[in-house]
Amino acid sequence: MRNKYFQLPFILLLLAIWSCNSTKTIPEGDALFAGYSVKVKGEKDSSKRQGDMEVELSPVVRPQPNASILGWRPKLGIYNAFYTKKEKGLKHFIMTKFGEPPVLVSAVDTGNVSQIMSNRLHNRGYFNNQVGSTTTVKKKMGTIDWVAKVGEPYRIRKVAYTLNDSLPVHQDIKQTWSESLLKPNDPYDLGTMTQERVRIDAVLKNKGYYYFSPNTMIFSVDTTVGNRQADILLRVKREASAQALRPYTLDDIYILANYSVGDSLSTSDTLNVRGYHYIPDENYVKARHLLRGVFLDKDSLYTRQEHLLTTKRLAGLPAYKFVNIDYKPDTVNIGKLDAFIYLTPALKKSIRAEVQMVSKSNNFVGPGVTVSFQNRNAFHGSELLSLNLTGSFETRSGDTGAGTPPEGTETVGTGNLTSFQLGAQAKLAIPRIVSPFNLRNLRTEFVPQTRMGLGFDFLQRVDFFSLNSYNATYGYNWRPSQRFTFDATPINLQYVRLSNTSPAFQELLEDNPYLRRSFENQFIVGSIYQVTYSDQMLPDRANHFFDNVTLDLSGNLVSLVQGLAGASSPTDDAPRTLISDPYAQYVMLDNDFRYYLNIGKESQLVARLVTGAGFSYGNSSTMPYVKQFSVGGPNSIRAFRARSVGPGTYIPTESEQFSYFDQVGDIRLLGNLEYRFPIFGFFKGAVFVDAGNIWLLRDTFNDDGTVVKPGGKFEANNIISELAIGTGAGLRIDVEFFVIRLDLGIPVQAPYLPKGERNVLKDFNGSFSGTNSMVLNIGIGYPF
């Protein structure tokens, strides 16, 4: 991409497609269906629904015109540019696979479309309507305008229910009247009437009426009462079966714990566990663990709520691939149902190997390999055991990215930095709460988990250092509702040990007290607590919210115990130790807030604000290096390379820029605004603005009294001027199961430049190197 000549063929191809005549392949006597409009006009309509009706009627038009962007039809352009009558060859392949044939005006059946629109208006209460269309053709480009003329819609005068009080079902229906969707004086709406039947059915399903359905009820509408009014009568169909009008209770409950499709049902060989018939035995999953997810009880009233709760809870167990619950009427006891829970096991053990080629925005490139083993039923309780081995090799080449410091400061030259990384991680997820306390079973459709982890990671930066990291965790995860997720890790242990430091890196540590303290051998002994709110799974909402709050604590309990034991107070030169090495003591709070606004059918405006702060105290004068914040990169500020910004206006030294060790801080502020829109097919676009930086809470001084990182301390008055700001555009290839993302970032403000020179956009030259340079980010998935 650095070579302008490399881009020339793509530019020429784009111009050819853009300039290609849209009507090139239109037959004589016909025209391209270029667009349409739908207008609803009503002189006396006081319902103010004309705008909604226009939106509702527009999708009725079939076929739809060719997809366009600001008047440009890219797929039609590809079709015309590569048009051929041959049925084979490269041109035919491109024309059919990436192009789209022109949609002709003759293909639009205006009479049929007008009739469908009239029917839609009738369903919304406009019984007297007229729909017509006008076709206009200019230079083989045709547009069709539909106009629907309506008057005042019919309104509901009253709603009545014809019920026979002798049957329990009628009394249960009558009890739902207060929640009815049909209100007097509302416009007549067939859709609302359909929803009313569904609403009543949902209520009855939770009262034992297993065989009841919305079709058991029928509406009658009388529009002869005058004055554009309608009386609505709801009744149960006369031919409704006795089964549909009777509530049921549960009798025997059978659990087939190792079921395969096609198995014949046999209830002769069963285990009776707490009143349940467990078939055939406990060789796969033990009954006491499985029954935590079963909320159907013998002699209880059948309810859809308990049915769905049981289905979702069991489906969340790793040991099972499919869950199905069927009910059959008891042939002896009238009004009783036998429940059959069919559980089809998933593949118990699996091993997977992945080979990756990683190219990071900080110019680190290299191969990686990951080998994973999973056992989805490790101890006959649907426990998920995961073992992961990872290895990677990276080498850095080229410049550091985000630009060069002001004139007079040292800059990075060329060269390579090699990095090796090896890791091993064991994780165990138990689908229940394992605790010394006797906790009640949570009535939630999401499976609560107890998580355990044990791991080791080895990182070697050739010619610099080796870093060994050991970790152990014990925690819980549970979702009491769809929107809230709680994650508590009361035991979070980590030990970081630096070794094999080179003379150059050792000199860097000696010259930089802040960096030296960040890389100290130390224990992290603490807890992590997270709360996540998200309503993104709720459909039919114009906007969505996401918020994740993380509280990370370390060293407090150990410090308290040592203090009570009479240990001396810690100092910078003599901190308290744990097994001969110091431990970190800090508190860190981080918040990630996102807002999603849906604009139209596929477009979306997304805003994100990330704030975080870490404060070290007591036994620590700095935050551990692995806990400090950094910004820049494909999921942060995309116009600056990873970890290349901050802290504050600090300008890294040559060695720091080369190795990316020191651009970290205690405070983080990051904001993103992104507009996402469809292009055509699975191609989607985005434009974005990113801003942010990191800062230090306090200055650290060298032995001679000078500040270690001048300009790095947080000053509230300087926040805006010290933000790194970038903008740009992106392309997403969004297929159903993954997203490939390409974002091109352009820097706007660089905080490391002197005041008055931080606006780098005015000198932007469109290249990929230097201060006023673009940054290309390649990633998987959306950035947020």
Side-chain angles (χ1 to χ4, degrees):
M1 290 188 178
R2 298 173 187 266
N3 192 331
K4 296 181 180 179
Y5 296 102
F6 181 72
Q7 304 175 24
L8 186 60
F10 296 97
I11 297 174
L12 294 176
L13 177 61
L14 183 62
L15 291 175
I17 296 175
W18 183 285
S19 60
C20 192
N21 189 351
S22 297
T23 60
K24 175 182 176 181
T25 56
I26 303 299
E28 289 297 327
D30 213 331
L32 177 70
F33 184 29
Y36 65 92
S37 66
V38 178
K39 296 292 182 183
V40 177
K41 297 182 178 180
E43 298 179 358
K44 299 180 180 180
D45 188 359
S46 62
S47 64
K48 300 180 181 180
R49 293 192 297 171
Q50 289 96 326
D52 294 338
M53 291 307 305
E54 290 174 359
V55 173
E56 182 178 335
L57 295 179
S58 292
V60 169
V61 178
R62 286 289 183 273
Q64 290 282 306
N66 295 101
S68 65
I69 305 171
L70 300 176
W72 175 45
R73 300 171 176 84
K75 298 187 73 173
L76 176 59
I78 294 174
Y79 182 89
N80 289 338
F82 294 91
Y83 178 75
T84 177
K85 293 183 179 180
K86 296 181 180 180
E87 297 184 356
K88 295 180 179 180
L90 179 61
K91 291 183 66 176
H92 177 267
F93 175 81
I94 296 175
M95 179 187 73
T96 55
K97 295 298 181 181
F98 300 99
E100 180 182 68
V103 178
L104 305 177
V105 169
S106 60
V108 183
D109 188 343
T110 55
N112 183 55
V113 171
S114 297
Q115 183 60 49
I116 296 175
M117 289 184 178
S118 179
N119 294 340
R120 291 284 182 94
L121 291 168
H122 188 279
N123 293 340
R124 296 296 293 271
Y126 299 100
F127 295 143
N128 300 318
N129 65 76
Q130 294 180 343
V131 182
S133 64
T134 302
T135 302
T136 303
V137 177
K138 291 182 180 180
K139 297 180 180 181
K140 302 186 77 173
M141 303 279 283
T143 58
I144 305 177
D145 302 307
W146 275 274
V147 177
K149 296 181 180 180
V150 299
E152 185 73 16
Y154 277 68
R155 295 182 177 273
I156 299 174
R157 189 181 73 163
K158 67 177 182 179
V159 182
Y161 296 81
T162 300
L163 304 174
N164 179 358
D165 292 341
S166 63
L167 293 177
V169 65
H170 295 146
Q171 292 298 325
D172 290 328
I173 293 176
K174 185 183 293 185
Q175 293 177 6
T176 72
W177 288 0
S178 61
E179 302 296 329
S180 176
L181 304 177
L182 302 174
K183 307 293 183 183
N185 205 40
D186 280 356
Y188 171 92
D189 193 319
L190 180 61
T192 304
M193 295 166 63
T194 301
Q195 293 174 14
E196 174 69 0
R197 294 198 309 172
V198 174
R199 183 193 67 82
I200 294 175
D201 173 68
V203 174
L204 295 181
K205 280 293 193 294
N206 284 323
K207 293 188 174 184
Y209 294 91
Y210 174 73
Y211 291 101
F212 197 89
S213 72
N215 292 331
T216 308
M217 296 172 287
I218 189 172
F219 280 106
S220 299
V221 181
D222 183 5
T223 60
T224 64
V225 296
N227 198 26
R228 292 184 180 271
Q229 290 184 318
D231 290 345
I232 298 179
L233 177 68
L234 175 65
R235 63 179 176 84
V236 175
K237 291 181 179 179
R238 297 183 181 88
E239 61 271 20
S241 66
Q243 278 186 328
L245 305 182
R246 177 188 298 122
Y248 284 84
T249 57
L250 300 180
D251 193 13
D252 292 321
I253 301 173
Y254 298 90
I255 302 175
L256 286 80
N258 196 358
Y259 175 78
S260 297
V261 177
D263 286 356
S264 58
L265 177 63
S266 174
T267 60
S268 58
D269 186 15
T270 67
L271 294 176
N272 290 313
V273 182
R274 289 163 40 189
Y276 296 91
H277 303 287
Y278 200 75
I279 304 173
D281 50 44
E282 294 188 297
N283 290 338
Y284 191 62
V285 176
K286 296 183 182 299
R288 71 175 186 275
H289 299 317
L290 188 64
L291 291 179
R292 293 174 179 271
V294 178
F295 298 92
L296 306 179
D297 296 314
K298 183 179 177 64
D299 296 327
S300 65
L301 195 67
Y302 163 83
T303 68
R304 175 64 62 83
Q305 181 179 0
E306 304 296 338
H307 167 90
L308 294 176
L309 180 60
T310 301
T311 301
K312 293 179 179 180
R313 186 68 170 266
L314 294 176
L317 297 178
Y320 292 107
K321 178 171 56 175
F322 300 117
V323 176
N324 184 42
I325 304 179
D326 193 16
Y327 301 89
K328 296 180 181 179
D330 194 300
T331 57
V332 178
N333 302 314
I334 303 299
K336 292 281 189 177
L337 292 174
D338 290 335
F340 298 87
I341 303 176
Y342 301 97
L343 302 174
T344 302
L347 181 65
K348 183 178 179 180
K349 297 178 182 179
S350 64
I351 188 169
R352 182 179 65 181
E354 295 180 4
V355 178
Q356 303 171 335
M357 183 65 187
V358 179
S359 176
K360 297 181 179 179
S361 63
N362 57 2
N363 282 353
F364 274 87
V365 296
V369 61
T370 300
V371 179
S372 302
F373 168 79
Q374 283 192 336
N375 187 330
R376 296 174 178 83
N377 191 26
F379 306 107
H380 298 286
S382 192
E383 301 88 356
L384 177 62
L385 175 64
S386 302
L387 303 176
N388 298 312
L389 297 176
T390 60
S392 65
F393 167 86
E394 296 175 356
T395 184
R396 194 195 69 91
S397 62
D399 59 71
T400 57
T404 56
E407 184 178 354
T409 62
E410 293 177 302
T411 59
V412 176
T414 60
N416 293 327
L417 174 66
T418 303
S419 171
F420 302 93
Q421 189 166 8
L422 298 172
Q425 189 76 28
K427 297 180 181 179
L428 180 64
I430 304 173
R432 52 194 173 273
I433 299 297
V434 179
S435 167
F437 308 102
N438 187 17
L439 302 176
R440 64 181 180 86
N441 189 26
L442 298 175
R443 287 183 56 83
T444 170
E445 62 188 59
F446 304 99
V447 179
Q449 286 188 342
T450 300
R451 297 176 292 100
M452 304 177 190
L454 189 64
F456 165 74
D457 189 74
F458 171 77
L459 171 66
Q460 179 169 353
R461 290 283 174 86
V462 176
D463 297 331
F464 280 91
F465 64 85
S466 297
L467 193 67
N468 297 278
S469 177
Y470 308 84
N471 65 82
T473 60
Y474 185 94
Y476 306 99
N477 177 277
W478 73 98
R479 291 181 63 181
S481 66
Q482 277 191 319
R483 303 186 187 190
F484 284 96
T485 301
F486 295 93
D487 197 298
T489 307
I491 300 177
N492 177 49
L493 307 178
Q494 190 169 354
Y495 176 62
V496 180
R497 184 174 183 84
L498 183 69
S499 61
N500 299 326
T501 56
S502 67
F505 185 68
Q506 190 64 41
E507 182 180 353
L508 179 64
L509 294 180
E510 292 174 357
D511 293 340
N512 191 329
Y514 184 88
L515 188 63
R516 182 172 66 249
R517 292 166 186 167
S518 298
F519 271 93
E520 285 179 339
N521 298 339
Q522 60 184 315
F523 286 93
I524 297 176
V525 184
S527 306
I528 300 176
Y529 302 95
Q530 286 187 331
V531 179
T532 302
Y533 172 88
S534 176
D535 60 8
Q536 293 175 277
M537 74 294 298
L538 302 178
D540 303 326
R541 298 195 59 166
N543 50 58
H544 295 279
F545 293 92
F546 171 92
D547 193 39
N548 175 260
V549 182
T550 302
L551 176 63
D552 190 345
L553 307 169
S554 176
N556 299 305
L557 183 59
V558 178
S559 178
L560 177 62
V561 172
Q562 290 183 340
L564 293 176
S568 58
S569 298
T571 64
D572 290 349
D573 296 328
R576 292 173 178 172
T577 61
L578 186 66
I579 317 180
S580 302
D581 279 320
Y583 56 88
Q585 189 171 6
Y586 65 85
V587 58
M588 185 175 70
L589 184 64
D590 195 39
N591 186 70
D592 184 349
F593 173 81
R594 306 171 192 178
Y595 174 71
Y596 301 82
L597 176 63
N598 297 320
I599 304 173
K601 186 177 181 180
E602 295 185 64
S603 299
Q604 192 177 58
L605 182 66
V606 186
R608 179 173 71 158
L609 179 64
V610 181
T611 56
F615 178 68
S616 57
Y617 56 94
N619 208 52
S620 299
S621 58
T622 60
M623 293 284 294
Y625 181 75
V626 295
K627 293 292 183 177
Q628 291 174 322
F629 299 114
S630 64
V631 293
N635 296 323
S636 179
I637 310 174
R638 284 161 279 188
F640 297 83
R641 301 193 188 277
R643 305 173 69 91
S644 65
V645 177
T649 61
Y650 173 65
I651 304 170
T653 65
E654 180 178 351
S655 58
E656 290 169 347
Q657 291 182 21
F658 182 77
S659 54
Y660 278 81
F661 296 134
D662 206 26
Q663 293 188 255
V664 291
D666 306 317
I667 298 176
R668 173 173 60 175
L669 178 63
L670 173 65
N672 308 89
L673 185 65
E674 180 170 293
Y675 175 63
R676 301 167 182 171
F677 54 88
I679 298 178
F680 63 88
F682 46 75
F683 290 97
K684 302 183 186 299
V687 292
F688 56 84
V689 177
D690 305 326
N693 205 335
I694 54 173
W695 293 270
L696 303 176
L697 269 176
R698 50 194 171 226
D699 283 328
T700 304
F701 298 92
N702 293 308
D703 296 336
D704 59 3
T706 58
V707 177
V708 174
K709 295 185 179 181
K713 185 180 177 181
F714 177 78
E715 299 289 348
N717 296 333
N718 299 331
I719 290 179
I720 302 301
S721 64
E722 294 183 359
L723 290 178
I725 302 175
T727 186
L731 176 68
R732 289 89 166 88
I733 304 173
D734 188 353
V735 296
E736 290 185 2
F737 49 91
F738 73 93
V739 176
I740 298 177
R741 173 169 54 89
L742 296 92
D743 287 329
L744 191 62
I746 303 173
V748 175
Q749 178 172 288
Y752 46 75
L753 297 177
K755 284 188 177 181
E757 300 179 18
R758 293 176 182 173
N759 183 358
V760 297
L761 187 60
K762 61 183 179 181
D763 299 323
F764 176 69
N765 59 18
S767 69
F768 283 85
S769 63
T771 302
N772 52 348
S773 63
M774 297 186 295
V775 176
L776 178 63
N777 299 276
I778 302 176
I780 302 296
Y782 286 95
F784 45 85

